[in-house]
Amino acid sequence: AGVVQIFQGVDAKEHGDAIFGVGSIILGISWSIFSVVLLMTSWITLGVGLVITLILVAIGFVISLFRHDKLQHWLDSCYFGKHELGSEKFTNLHQQTTALAAFAKEH
């Protein structure tokens, strides 16, 4: 789970979601370290392991709130968008409606 989280973070960072990307990378490293420690030692009891797992899950949920989906990127690229997500601004209405139609076909 930790390695997958790291790859998701790198991918998100490359696509302009810096906060989500860095948070996912840190969380992935934490999951990986926790998993290795859990397998290598027996000092983690059920209670401590459960508490640490719940904390890491809660941190993962908070980090996921910062992830931007394709619709948010489309809205950011529109004429009235804030253009803060690194998305390129649509130059005309045709380009904007074509991107919306492509998004609608995916869902």
Side-chain angles (χ1 to χ4, degrees):
V3 176
V4 173
Q5 190 78 32
I6 292 170
F7 282 116
Q8 285 179 344
V10 170
D11 184 54
K13 192 173 180 215
E14 289 175 354
H15 287 91
D17 285 334
I19 294 173
F20 176 77
V22 171
S24 292
I25 292 169
I26 293 170
L27 183 63
I29 292 169
S30 300
W31 270 113
S32 299
I33 292 170
F34 175 66
S35 298
V36 169
V37 168
L38 184 63
L39 292 173
M40 301 293 271
T41 63
S42 61
W43 62 267
I44 296 183
T45 62
L46 179 63
V48 174
L50 182 63
V51 169
I52 292 173
T53 300
L54 290 175
I55 290 170
L56 289 175
V57 168
I59 291 170
F61 174 75
V62 171
I63 290 172
S64 72
L65 296 176
F66 292 99
R67 184 175 196 154
H68 299 103
D69 60 11
K70 290 181 181 182
L71 180 60
Q72 288 173 318
H73 282 281
W74 180 84
L75 289 169
D76 187 61
S77 298
C78 289
Y79 180 75
F80 293 106
K82 293 183 179 180
H83 315 294
E84 296 174 342
L85 301 179
S87 306
E88 291 187 27
K89 183 178 178 180
F90 294 126
T91 56
N92 56 42
L93 184 60
H94 177 70
Q95 186 181 23
Q96 179 176 317
T97 54
T98 303
L100 181 60
F103 172 76
K105 285 182 182 178
E106 290 179 10
H107 292 65

